[in-house]
């Protein structure tokens, strides 16, 4: 019975497929080894082979890039459709819009209320007072600068405040 059993040959060593980059590198490396044949012809053939491999790698990568771009476009459209077709999201968006409209209407009512009107008037009066004081202070600081040539002044508390001098051009006076 031992005569009937056949031995299997040992499997050949399986090697991994080389990538395009590996093939291109190997082709470039082989171009540098000199031969006894006409070196110019060999170099030309090797360069042509290298370029052919390189073009194949480029074409394969470009095709992959195009395919990935198409896949991304489809996935983005699918994601957009998921959001557009979600009923809970649509309801929440509708509620948000209704609430925003209610907020807008309520703000409009508050704007015309007596309390808001009174506060806006008071704010306007305070801004006017502020503007008058700033103009007066600016004139006094300009006079102070003309007398002392200093852009800082001492306070009664012992602090020192600095100020800037700036000119402002006003429009022409009408006659």
């Amino acid at each position: 019975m031992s005569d009937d059993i056949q031995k299997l040959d040992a499997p050949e060593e399986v090697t991994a497929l080389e990538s395009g980059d590996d093939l291109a590198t190997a082709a470039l490396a082989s171009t540098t080894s000199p031969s006894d044949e006409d070196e110019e012809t060999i170099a030309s053939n090797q360069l042509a082979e290298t370029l052919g491999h390189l073009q194949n790698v480029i074409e394969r990568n470009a095709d992959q890039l195009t395919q990935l771009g198409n896949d991304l476009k489809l996935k983005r459209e699918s994601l957009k459709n998921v959001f557009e077709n979600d009923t809970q999201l649509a309801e929440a968006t509708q509620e948000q819009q209704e609430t925003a409209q209610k907020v807008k209407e309520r703000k409009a009512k508050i704007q015309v209320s007596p309390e808001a009107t009174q506060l806006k008037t008071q704010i306007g009066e305070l801004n006017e007072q502020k503007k008058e004081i700033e103009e007066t202070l600016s004139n006094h600081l300009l006079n102070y600068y003309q007398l002392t040539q200093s852009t800082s002044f001492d306070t009664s508390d012992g602090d020192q405040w600095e100020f800037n001098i700036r000119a402002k051009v006003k429009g022409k006076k009408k006659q």
Side-chain angles (χ1 to χ4, degrees):
M1 188 170 209
S2 62
D3 292 336
D4 293 338
I5 299 176
Q6 296 177 343
K7 284 189 172 181
L8 295 175
D9 292 332
E12 294 180 18
E13 192 172 313
V14 178
T15 59
L17 293 176
E18 292 186 49
S19 71
D21 292 338
D22 293 337
L23 289 172
T25 303
L28 284 172
S30 68
T31 60
T32 59
S33 60
S35 171
D36 292 334
E37 297 179 12
D38 182 28
E39 291 182 21
E40 190 174 316
T41 304
I42 292 173
S44 176
N45 290 342
Q46 289 175 341
L47 179 61
E49 187 178 334
T50 301
L51 284 175
H53 289 297
L54 186 57
Q55 286 174 338
N56 290 339
V57 169
I58 290 170
E59 182 179 353
R60 188 170 52 243
N61 285 338
D63 288 341
Q64 286 178 341
L65 186 61
T66 301
Q67 183 60 41
L68 285 174
N70 292 337
D71 291 347
L72 277 170
K73 183 178 178 181
L74 290 173
K75 296 298 179 187
R76 286 183 180 124
E77 287 175 5
S78 295
L79 181 61
K80 181 181 173 185
N81 289 337
V82 167
F83 280 97
E84 288 176 352
N85 295 330
D86 187 79
T87 55
Q88 290 178 340
L89 179 60
E91 291 171 4
T93 303
Q94 182 64 30
E95 289 176 18
Q96 178 191 21
Q97 291 171 348
E98 291 170 359
T99 302
Q101 184 62 31
K102 288 178 185 177
V103 167
K104 187 176 177 182
E105 290 170 1
R106 183 64 188 148
K107 281 185 176 182
K109 286 181 182 177
I110 292 173
Q111 286 286 345
V112 297
S113 71
E115 182 180 4
T117 304
Q118 181 184 12
L119 288 170
K120 285 192 280 186
T121 303
Q122 291 172 350
I123 289 171
E125 291 171 357
L126 290 173
N127 277 330
E128 191 63 35
Q129 287 178 4
K130 178 182 171 191
K131 184 177 176 182
E132 289 173 8
I133 291 173
E134 285 175 341
E135 287 177 12
T136 303
L137 180 60
S138 179
N139 289 335
H140 291 306
L141 288 172
L142 185 57
N143 289 336
Y144 179 83
Y145 176 75
Q146 289 172 343
L147 292 172
T148 64
Q149 297 296 309
S150 173
T151 57
S152 63
F153 63 93
D154 295 327
T155 64
S156 58
D157 296 341
D159 292 335
Q160 190 174 35
W161 287 22
E162 293 187 14
F163 61 92
N164 294 325
I165 305 291
R166 63 177 179 222
K168 186 166 90 172
V169 176
K170 296 184 179 183
K172 289 184 178 181
K173 290 186 179 181
K174 295 181 181 178
Q175 292 181 358

